[in-house]
Amino acid sequence: MYRYDSFDQTLVDERVAQFRDQTRRYLAGELTDDEFRPLRLMNGLYIQRHAPMLRVSIPYGLLSSEQMRMLAHIARTYDRGYGHFTTRQNIQYNWPALESVPDILADLARVEMHAIQTSGNCIRNITSDHLAGVAADELTDPRPYCELIRQWATLHPEFSYLPRKFKIAVSASESDRAAIRVHDIGLQVVHDDDGRFGFRVFVGGGLGRTPVVGECIREFLPEEDLLSYLEAILRVYNLNGRRDNIHKARIKILVRAMGAEAFGQRVEAEWQHLRGDPRLTLAPEDVAYMQGFFQAPPYDSTADGRALKEHLDGDPAFTRWYRHNTVDHRQPGYRAVFLSLKAPAVAPGDLTDAQMDAVAALAERYGFGEIRVTHTQNLILPDVRQDALHALWQELRELNLATPNVGTMTDMICCPGLDFCSLANAGSIDVARDINERFDNLDDLYDLGDIRLNMSGCMNACGHHHVGHIGILGVDKKGEEFYQITVGGSSSNDAGMGERIGPAVAKDRVADTLESILHTFVAHREGDEPLIDTYRRIGVKPFKEAAYA
Amino acid sequence: MRRMIRHGGIIEDHWLHVADDDALPEGDVIVTEARWHAERETLLARDGCIGVRIHGDTDLSALAPDLDSLAVIALEFPAFKDGRCLSQARLLRERFGYSGELRAVGDVLRDQLAYMARVGIDAFEVRADRSLEDALRAFEEFSGHYQLNPVGRSPRELRRERAAPARTAAAS
Ligand code: SF4
């Protein structure tokens, strides 16, 4: 993984000192609330329903064991003993005291971490494929590009006071696991006929109040021009994006108002001036430098699956877990293992300090000391020998991290919602619990195939409800918690927004409504097709009729 | 006279901001873009230097032919959170080759100064209710930056250099 050199370390240390002074000036009354707000947001600090919330950056979802131990230490020392992993591969703490945030940031800096630009109207954490570097369907590792973009975006003086937040995702595989088409900029690594790497560039995707699928404005951007082209897009947005209405300020609104084609032309015109600027042009050695940090670890080429086969033959519970919570690896004899953070009765994405410490140790014993965070709010141990899977599974069970539900309906994405977020209309965590209780039969869940269930507590859509195969959105009806339910969304290559199946339902009707959706699905399903395919064949109508029969 | 920051120090500033319906005073004045376009000849004919005040929506290409006549361009920050003039400043410096004074005016506060300096702004009318001495500290907070680094080369350049001798050694 990427390691800081003295330049990176100095910058992060100086950033901590800067924020310590800003916090001091705020507490001394030298900065108003309004003036302090963007400063604290650009260091990840929100003021929430109960207390401040601190969002820590995990660049493209990659953590070392040492970093995970620091996250545990922070949960224990400054919070209530847990953290919440988010859909943007970051972690949030819900209970830090404002006064202690500079100390938390200093602790993070000791392990090459920070909270820079995890909030505010600036370029946010760069997200990517959680299976980068181990996936079999990958063209090249996207993380060197992510790191180049991260450094370009960090404290960028021109783009730190944008009209609104700005999210960039990068994918380099055939199947898009990074949801690039629902980001402000989505970059897909491709190569041209000569085998040179470059990017297909999507802009204007996003969720929130106005969900939009991003449009391609350039089929092939040569690798060396990556930063100059990003700069051109950001400049067109910075100068032309709306600043009069917070709900109309995202780039998607600008792209829609101008039309994708006209927007693309503006970007190209701007880029003609920036293209070739030596400060923005990537030399082959710049990319090579970053690639050096993402080399394959020393795999054991003699690792094989013989012991695994015996365990699979003899242990059905293990087999279930193996089938759902592990995936193919590029290296023969290895698997990537999902740690489900969706155990029944646990808020999706939450992990305690003790679990964090334990996961850090497991990553060292069953891998090379590396952990990934997925945008579906699970963790991954990326490099596990097949012959060690059974032993790992037993340890994960002890930790309540082996619920064999990855990819099933109970592996749901869920924002912190009413319990923590001041913007929530409705609770999401207790609905998640209801759903878990109702659909607790694993064999039934497996029969239903891959179902992505996403839930947000309000229109801001932090739980990505629009792109869930089933989406649930909390709404407020005369002070009561109601839930708007959609079917048919997707964030993969075929990205699209779900359709409503009717009026919002009361909390105690959510599980019933889901059950009706599943019955309709099963009644119309052909063969083993997933829910999303059935929906695409039959449309929303049968789901509607059944739910409100 | 106004106290402000220019080129990293606190100075007394003699420039006068003139509103559109005010009579033109003696001396060096900063007028709005509208007035500049309307009274260009009169303004050029008088003694004293001219500055123009622009904002985030100003079309810079309309101003481009006049840049040599303008000793100051004042960039209006209506609110400190409005970053449009950060782009305007860079465009003026990098695309239009403007080498006169770029002055931040409006809601100009300490915690944005370093960003402004890195896009080419070199003079700052810090809001009158704030301490200039305190604001000056903004320029000392970072010793380097990934991009638009005023105090040295970018890390990408440094890393290329660091790698170069190693490669040469390996090749020989
Ligand atoms: S979706 Fe709404 S309720 Fe949920 S975390 Fe985001 S802002 Fe808060």
Side-chain angles (χ1 to χ4, degrees), chain A residues 15 76 150 199 227 256 290 292 332 340 354 446 549:
Chain A
R15 177 68 162 188
R76 197 161 40 236
R150 184 190 76 81
F199 306 89
L227 301 182
R256 186 185 266 187
M290 290 305 173
S340 171
Y446 297 154

Side-chain angles (χ1 to χ4, degrees), chain A residues 415-418 421-426 428 455-463:
Chain A
C415 78
L418 196 59
C421 177
S422 52
L423 300 166
N425 291 316
S428 37
M455 183 156 37
S456 307
C458 79
M459 279 206 285
N460 287 328
C462 303

Side-chain angles (χ1 to χ4, degrees), chain A residues 433-441 508 511-513 515:
Chain A
R433 204 165 294 142
D434 279 359
I435 293 171
N436 259 308
E437 276 168 22
R438 178 73 63 97
F439 304 98
D440 64 345
N441 184 322
D508 57 2
D512 293 340
T513 311
E515 208 164 334

Side-chain angles (χ1 to χ4, degrees), chain B residues 61-125:
Chain B
S61 52
L63 209 59
D66 297 335
L67 289 178
D68 285 344
S69 320
L70 302 175
V72 171
I73 294 181
L75 301 160
E76 170 83 42
F77 287 84
F80 72 89
K81 285 176 284 197
D82 185 335
R84 286 174 299 170
C85 278
L86 298 170
S87 286
Q88 299 282 48
R90 259 190 95 189
L91 285 169
L92 282 165
R93 289 287 190 231
E94 295 182 12
R95 185 154 318 156
F96 296 97
Y98 180 69
S99 57
E101 175 178 312
L102 280 184
R103 170 186 297 219
V105 301
D107 198 15
V108 179
L109 300 172
R110 165 176 167 174
D111 294 289
Q112 288 75 43
L113 295 189
Y115 290 109
M116 293 176 178
R118 287 167 60 210
V119 295
I121 299 176
D122 50 5
F124 309 87
E125 289 188 17

Side-chain angles (χ1 to χ4, degrees), chain A residues 2 5 8 14 18 21-22 25 35 151-152 154-155 158 161 231 238 270 273 279 286 289, chain B residues 83-84 86-87 90 94-95 110-112 118 130 141-143 145-147 156 159-160:
Chain A
Y2 184 70
D5 63 9
D8 303 304
E14 288 173 344
Q18 181 192 44
D21 188 53
Q22 288 166 341
R25 286 189 282 137
E35 289 164 9
Q151 297 192 11
W152 161 80
T154 299
L155 308 189
E158 184 178 348
Y161 290 92
E231 201 131 324
N238 189 40
E270 189 61 40
H273 297 284
R279 297 169 304 172
D286 298 333
Y289 177 79
Chain B
R84 286 174 299 170
L86 298 170
S87 286
R90 259 190 95 189
E94 295 182 12
R95 185 154 318 156
R110 165 176 167 174
D111 294 289
Q112 288 75 43
R118 287 167 60 210
R130 297 304 161 96
E141 288 173 337
F142 287 93
S143 51
H145 281 287
Y146 288 115
Q147 60 314 78
R156 259 188 301 123
R159 287 164 190 159
R160 274 179 216 163

Side-chain angles (χ1 to χ4, degrees), chain B residues 6 10 41 48 50 96 127 141 144 162:
Chain B
R6 182 184 292 140
I10 297 172
E41 302 312 320
I50 306 291
F96 296 97
R127 227 170 65 187
E141 288 173 337
R162 232 170 26 210

